[in-house]
Amino acid sequence: MLRIERLELTEFALELREPFRISSGEVRRRRILLIRAFDGEGASGWGECVAGERPNYSPETIDTAWMAISQWIAPRLLGRRLQDPGQARPLLEADFRGHFMAKAGVEMAIWELSARRQGVALATLLGGTRTRIPVGISIGIQDTPKALAQKVKRALGSGYRKIKIKIEPKRDLEYLEAAVTEAPGHLLMADANSAYHLTDASHLQKLDAFGLMMIEQPLSAGDLRRHAQLQELIQTPICLDESVDCLERLEDMIALGAGRILNIKPGRVGGLAVSLAMHDLCGAHRVPVWCGGMLESGIGRGHNVALASLPGFSLPGDISPSRRYWSQDIVEPEWEMDAEGYVTVPAGRPGIGVRVDEERLAHLAVRREVLTLS
């Protein structure tokens, strides 16, 4: 039995080791919102809201999420008794539309709190079976094909088991050709972040020549019908990301044939309970799934590692080590990748398996709020 006594919100920022660019914008400095859930017995769990600073990837932002948590989410959860963390989901869905990233940050903190109270790893609580997770890398849009080829070469040398290449119109065919030439026979994919339209179908058909494992989210996030039309015109499997933000959209994707692969980001779809439901539905329909990243700190990455330990996550996820993005993370130990391209699931430690450096976090914090019943 869980009773949430208080929630603590903390905002801080981390500078990226290098700029990360996608079709909708560039990030150099990441504002991050952390949520810590406390019970009445001194136990706590951490969650992370993945919303960005601007509404370019999603309508949500870190500031709208903060407001949603303090005004609408916290009052629904504080003082409530939960038999298990999965009961948080219906409380956050009843008569409360959207705000999936805000909901996810709090819900995931409750899952970690529950795992810590039980003294088990979050991966174990979720039903994970893998002890190691194959790691992929996401490479942002580069200035030239040559620059991209150099990034791909370094990624291969580091051991990454999948390489995702961000693309946009005029930075696609030559860039992908350079990547394929540098990494023949390796798992390569393209991610467009909704940069194209159905009228670009004849252009996107040219991607079939590269033998990519998938093209992720080529069209608008809200458009399943046109994705289904595009999939009929191209051989490369379409993977949906932004288009599937809830279980109902996943059901639509499967029914329409709008995508053959799904990228499950727990921080984007509303948390771990809905991610589990998506994992199970995809398994029933033989749809491969993998776990994407949202430039999380080590806390969000810990939740992703736990989720990706489930048996249905058959493709390498974007679960890069801490040093891929940050000079110094806020968790100890930091997430690391071995020479074979795997991250170890910390099954022997409770919760997400890493400790938050609270002293460093306090130094970095720029905003904090404590939410209680009184």
Side-chain angles (χ1 to χ4, degrees), residues 59-130:
E60 290 186 77
T61 70
I62 187 173
D63 297 304
T64 64
W66 191 292
M67 180 184 70
I69 293 170
S70 60
Q71 292 192 15
W72 302 312
I73 294 175
R76 289 169 178 258
L77 294 174
L78 290 172
R80 292 285 191 129
R81 294 188 182 277
L82 308 177
Q83 293 289 340
D84 61 74
Q87 289 189 332
R89 178 187 172 192
L91 292 174
L92 296 177
E93 290 184 345
D95 191 30
F96 184 10
R97 297 183 180 181
H99 300 280
F100 297 120
M101 293 178 176
K103 292 174 180 177
V106 177
E107 190 251 23
M108 292 159 78
I110 293 172
W111 274 92
E112 214 234 345
L113 167 60
S114 180
R116 288 186 178 277
R117 278 174 52 98
Q118 298 178 50
V120 300
L122 178 59
T124 301
L125 188 61
L126 293 173
T129 58
R130 288 190 170 88

Side-chain angles (χ1 to χ4, degrees), residues 81-350:
R81 294 188 182 277
L82 308 177
Q83 293 289 340
D84 61 74
Q87 289 189 332
R89 178 187 172 192
L91 292 174
L92 296 177
E93 290 184 345
D95 191 30
F96 184 10
R97 297 183 180 181
H99 300 280
F100 297 120
M101 293 178 176
K103 292 174 180 177
V106 177
E107 190 251 23
M108 292 159 78
I110 293 172
W111 274 92
E112 214 234 345
L113 167 60
S114 180
R116 288 186 178 277
R117 278 174 52 98
Q118 298 178 50
V120 300
L122 178 59
T124 301
L125 188 61
L126 293 173
T129 58
R130 288 190 170 88
T131 58
R132 295 198 306 163
I133 307 298
V135 178
I137 188 173
S138 180
I139 299 178
I141 294 172
Q142 302 297 304
D143 291 333
T144 65
K146 182 178 180 180
L148 175 61
Q150 292 172 343
K151 291 276 188 183
V152 170
K153 183 177 181 179
R154 285 199 291 270
L156 290 175
S158 298
Y160 286 100
R161 304 188 69 83
K162 182 193 74 177
I163 298 175
K164 178 164 79 173
I165 298 161
K166 298 286 187 176
I167 62 171
E168 64 181 358
K170 298 183 180 180
R171 286 188 172 89
D172 47 24
L173 299 181
E174 290 184 51
Y175 289 71
L176 291 171
E177 182 177 7
V180 171
T181 300
E182 187 63 50
H186 291 271
L187 292 180
L188 298 177
M189 61 170 287
D191 183 7
N193 291 114
S194 303
Y196 297 86
H197 305 278
L198 188 58
T199 52
D200 297 315
S202 59
H203 178 77
L204 292 172
Q205 284 176 325
K206 297 176 182 178
L207 272 63
D208 289 341
F210 299 121
L212 302 174
M213 63 185 301
M214 70 185 89
I215 176 172
E216 184 178 0
Q217 198 63 49
L219 309 181
S220 172
D223 201 333
L224 290 173
R225 180 174 66 85
R226 289 177 178 80
H227 273 108
Q229 290 178 271
L230 178 62
Q231 186 65 90
E232 292 182 352
L233 297 172
I234 65 175
Q235 298 174 12
T236 305
I238 290 176
C239 170
L240 290 187
D241 177 6
E242 295 97 313
S243 291
V244 179
D245 57 7
C246 62
L247 196 60
E248 290 76 16
R249 295 293 82 71
L250 174 56
E251 292 171 345
D252 293 343
M253 180 196 96
I254 293 170
L256 293 170
R260 297 177 184 169
I261 301 171
L262 180 66
N263 178 357
I264 302 179
K265 296 175 177 175
R268 185 181 61 74
V269 302
L272 292 169
V274 68
S275 297
L276 291 173
M278 288 180 171
H279 165 273
D280 293 346
L281 182 61
C282 284
H285 289 272
R286 298 183 179 180
V287 175
V289 300
W290 56 284
C291 185
M294 296 281 291
L295 296 179
E296 295 97 340
S297 75
I299 293 173
R301 198 160 306 277
H303 284 275
N304 291 352
V305 168
L307 180 67
S309 71
L310 269 69
F313 285 83
S314 57
L315 302 176
D318 293 342
I319 304 177
S320 298
S322 296
R323 294 302 173 97
R324 160 76 176 105
Y325 297 112
W326 320 118
S327 296
Q328 183 181 353
D329 208 337
I330 59 162
V331 298
E332 296 176 343
E334 294 190 351
W335 294 100
E336 296 182 347
M337 181 180 73
D338 64 27
E340 296 179 325
Y342 287 86
V343 165
T344 299
V345 180
R349 299 192 291 272

